[in-house]
């Protein structure tokens, strides 16, 4: 490795961490709040009993949460542990990083105040989320979470209901515990992504993407490798507009927030391996088909 390549990889690695870390911190903090302040009874009252409605609810509630794909996984894991159905949690996980207002607005700005790419991005993400959520609702009856030791913060030394301060302290303890669990995979994923960006030439990938199918596949692969935060990826995607088709640009913008190196490693830390790879297969097929129809 030359000195120039090392510095390039190092700068990419640090930029990915700086970009993702605030959202990871936000995600684990929300996860801690959910663990301490949200009860199973509260969750059960909010969830529609109907399978289809619960998938729709999980899909569109993502519009209210400005969460990056890095920070949303601990939130989803905690919600599922609290009783949210797997299919609803996954639907939220897929759309949260795509259809929230910050991401949609950044997409609108990145493409010169053009509504088309923004609407295609949001629309395809919603369609993929609903289809994947419904498939999962029929295929899986269990949570599919890996068993982990959780921090015990039930305040057994307190008489009666814990005070707000003790609950907040417990939430922070959970957030710290979750951060160290998730953080190591963010670092590993960022390092792999930085290495691949440094040593795999973009020109090599561009040379392969000469038709609709291969260009969409290449842009999805690029999104997986680059592991960009969804708040920033539109500005990278806009630089490819003269080289790639609209469908393949949309594939990049939808696939990356749903599946990239760092959040795949985080999912493998939260869910069973077979479930994660099944989920990846469904998302890959649906995003590819959707991009070809645009």
């Amino acid at each position: 490795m030359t000195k120039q390549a090392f510095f390039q990889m190092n700068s990419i690695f640090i930029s990915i961490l700086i970009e993702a870390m605030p959202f990871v911190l936000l995600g684990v903090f929300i996860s801690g709040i959910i663990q301490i302040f949200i009860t199973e009874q509260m969750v059960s009252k909010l969830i529609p009993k109907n399978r289809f409605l619960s998938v729709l609810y999980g899909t569109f509630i993502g519009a209210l949460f400005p969460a990056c794909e890095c920070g949303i996984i601990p939130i989803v894991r905690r919600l599922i542990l609290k009783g949210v159905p797997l299919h609803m949690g996954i639907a939220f996980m897929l759309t949260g990083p795509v259809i929230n207002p910050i991401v949609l607005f950044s997409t609108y700005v990145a493409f010169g105040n053009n509504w088309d790419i923004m609407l295609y991005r949001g629309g395809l993400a919603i369609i993929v989320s609903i289809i994947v959520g419904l498939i999962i609702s029929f295929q899986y009856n269990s949570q599919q979470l890996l068993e982990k030791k959780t921090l015990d913060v039930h305040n057994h030394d307190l008489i009666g209901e814990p005070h707000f301060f003790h609950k907040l302290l417990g939430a922070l303890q959970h957030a710290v515990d979750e951060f160290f669990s998730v953080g190591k995979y963010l670092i590993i994923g960022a390092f792999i992504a930085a290495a691949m960006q440094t040593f795999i030439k973009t020109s090599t990938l561009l040379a392969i993407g000469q038709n609709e199918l291969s260009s969409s596949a290449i842009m999805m692969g690029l999104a997986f490798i680059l592991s960009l935060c969804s708040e920033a990826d539109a500005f990278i995607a806009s630089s490819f507009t003269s080289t790639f088709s609209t469908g393949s640009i949309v594939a990049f913008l939808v696939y990356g927030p749903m599946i990239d190196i760092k959040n795949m490693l985080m999912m493998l830390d939260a869910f069973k391996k077979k479930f994660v790879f099944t989920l990846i297969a469904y998302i890959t097929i649906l995003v590819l088909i959707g991009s070809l129809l645009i």
Side-chain angles (χ1 to χ4, degrees):
M1 182 192 299
T2 65
K3 186 181 290 186
Q4 183 181 357
F6 173 78
F7 283 121
Q8 181 183 349
M9 186 175 72
N10 188 54
S11 63
I12 293 171
F13 171 71
I14 292 172
S15 67
I16 291 173
L17 286 184
I18 291 173
E19 191 177 58
M21 196 61 73
F23 298 99
V24 174
L25 290 171
L26 178 64
V28 297
F29 181 70
I30 294 173
S31 172
I33 295 293
I34 291 170
Q35 171 62 19
I36 302 301
F37 289 94
I38 306 297
T39 66
E40 286 80 357
Q41 290 76 19
M42 293 179 189
V43 171
S44 63
K45 288 178 182 178
L46 293 172
I47 299 171
K49 302 300 180 185
N50 180 276
R51 186 195 309 265
F52 182 69
L53 288 178
S54 66
V55 170
L56 284 181
Y57 185 79
T59 296
F60 287 100
I61 202 173
L64 304 177
F65 288 85
C68 183
E69 67 274 13
C70 319
I72 204 167
I73 292 169
I75 298 173
V76 170
R77 179 179 176 274
R78 188 62 59 193
L79 287 171
I80 293 173
L81 285 171
K82 285 289 182 179
V84 169
L86 177 66
H87 52 272
M88 179 177 161
I90 294 300
F92 168 56
M93 186 180 81
L94 297 184
T95 56
V98 181
I99 69 169
N100 73 70
I102 295 174
V103 171
L104 291 180
F105 181 69
S106 71
T107 305
Y108 172 75
V109 172
F111 287 89
N113 300 337
N114 189 326
W115 290 92
D116 292 348
I117 299 293
M118 186 195 80
L119 292 174
Y120 282 137
R121 182 182 198 181
L124 182 57
I126 289 168
I127 292 169
V128 171
S129 173
I130 291 172
I131 295 174
V132 170
L134 287 173
I135 292 172
I136 286 172
S137 72
F138 286 102
Q139 187 172 356
Y140 297 98
N141 295 318
S142 62
Q143 294 179 333
Q144 295 300 306
L145 293 171
L146 292 176
E147 291 184 11
K148 289 184 176 182
K149 292 181 180 179
T150 55
L151 195 62
D152 185 17
V153 288
H154 292 292
N155 302 297
H156 297 298
D157 55 323
L158 299 172
I159 298 174
E161 191 67 23
H163 295 293
F164 176 82
F165 174 77
H166 292 95
K167 286 187 174 183
L168 184 60
L169 182 61
L172 291 173
Q173 287 176 319
H174 266 278
V176 171
D177 190 51
E178 194 87 62
F179 175 77
F180 282 107
S181 175
V182 170
K184 60 180 180 286
Y185 293 99
L186 172 65
I187 291 170
I188 295 169
F191 179 78
I192 294 171
M196 295 187 77
Q197 287 185 57
T198 302
F199 298 110
I200 297 178
K201 292 181 179 179
T202 306
S203 58
T204 304
L205 298 174
L206 297 178
I208 304 172
Q210 296 301 314
N211 60 56
E212 287 288 338
L213 179 61
S214 63
S215 74
S216 288
I218 288 300
M219 286 301 280
M220 288 165 66
L222 200 60
F224 179 81
I225 292 168
L226 294 178
S227 298
L228 299 167
C229 238
S230 55
E231 281 79 5
D233 60 359
F235 296 95
I236 304 300
S238 63
S239 67
F240 292 111
T241 50
S242 60
T243 311
F244 286 93
S245 64
T246 299
S248 61
I249 296 291
V250 174
F252 177 92
L253 293 170
V254 173
Y255 193 73
M258 292 184 177
I259 303 293
D260 63 23
I261 292 172
K262 61 184 186 300
N263 79 348
M264 182 186 73
L265 291 174
M266 291 180 192
M267 281 195 286
L268 288 170
D269 185 52
F271 297 97
K272 295 177 180 176
K273 287 182 181 179
K274 186 177 179 181
F275 171 75
V276 172
F277 289 119
T278 301
L279 181 64
I280 290 172
Y282 290 151
I283 294 168
T284 302
I285 292 167
L286 289 170
V287 172
L288 186 59
I289 292 172
S291 71
L292 296 176
L293 296 176
I294 292 174

